[in-house]
Amino acid sequence: MSPRVEAVAFMVWRHCEPIGWDCTLAEAAAAIGETTRAVGHACKEKGWTHRFRTSATDYRAPLAVLEAS
């Protein structure tokens, strides 16, 4: 693994570990200022792709359910 990929992987780990990997790959990429492609590649190399959520959290969903009741 190249030093660049290792650096991206470290930044991903540093962002995701404290929040329990409760983010999507795209959210992690945005948080560390990298492209989703670079983050995806680093995570694939590390075997971390299964740790991410597969969809964004919709914070409006609980309110919509309550309002519909």
Side-chain angles (χ1 to χ4, degrees):
M1 197 174 323
S2 74
R4 167 95 171 105
V5 173
E6 283 286 351
V8 171
F10 173 72
M11 290 187 294
V12 169
W13 177 85
R14 186 181 62 191
H15 170 74
C16 294
E17 190 65 20
I19 61 170
W21 295 82
D22 186 25
C23 62
T24 64
L25 190 134
E27 290 168 342
I32 67 169
E34 288 290 339
T35 64
T36 54
R37 183 177 178 165
V39 171
H41 177 69
C43 290
K44 183 178 178 187
E45 290 290 317
K46 290 289 193 177
W48 294 343
T49 54
H50 68 283
R51 294 184 174 191
F52 292 98
R53 272 196 341 258
T54 56
S55 62
T57 301
D58 184 3
Y59 292 105
R60 296 172 299 164
L63 294 177
V65 171
L66 291 174
E67 291 173 357
S69 308

